Amino acid sequence: MDLKTLIIESIKEDIPGRDVTTDLMIDASDRSEVRLFSRQDGVFFGVHVIRTLFNFLDDSVEISLQVSDGDPLTPNQTIAFLKGKTHILLKAERV
């Protein structure tokens, strides 16, 4: 299974049809900035995953990666900053 297909299947599983809570509580025009961070020690491999996910959901999301594939991670280390429509960022978090 390729990455795009995996992302589509994950969205179907986690957000079948629509994300009712987000759609009812968040105005479609609201924008947010988020910080994606590590929870524990590890090695980052996800540049392609992050870019593919947001290219699929909404390619207007601004992605500012702070690490590269293969970089070691420590707890609470910033991986990326994201700016975009709040409802898209919330939906992406669920996947």
Side-chain angles (χ1 to χ4, degrees):
M1 179 180 303
D2 70 341
L3 182 58
K4 186 172 181 181
T5 302
L6 180 62
I7 287 171
I8 291 168
E9 292 302 315
S10 297
I11 291 170
K12 285 180 185 177
E13 179 180 321
D14 291 339
I15 314 169
R18 61 185 266 206
D19 183 346
V20 176
T21 303
T22 297
D23 291 345
L24 290 174
M25 302 298 292
I26 306 296
D27 188 279
S29 65
D30 286 353
R31 297 184 58 79
S32 295
E33 297 179 29
V34 299
R35 175 181 163 254
L36 182 65
F37 64 94
S38 61
R39 292 187 182 181
Q40 60 190 29
D41 289 327
V43 178
F44 180 74
F45 285 98
V47 169
H48 187 62
V49 174
I50 291 170
R51 293 199 185 281
T52 302
L53 173 62
F54 285 104
N55 282 338
F56 179 76
L57 289 175
D58 181 350
D59 64 0
S60 71
V61 172
E62 297 174 38
I63 302 167
S64 176
L65 288 162
Q66 304 299 300
V67 295
S68 299
D69 284 340
D71 286 352
L73 297 173
T74 57
N76 202 37
Q77 181 177 346
T78 301
I79 295 170
F81 294 103
L82 308 169
K83 290 182 187 180
K85 295 176 184 173
T86 304
H87 71 279
I88 295 296
L89 297 173
L90 288 170
K91 289 176 184 181
E93 183 273 333
R94 295 185 60 183
V95 176

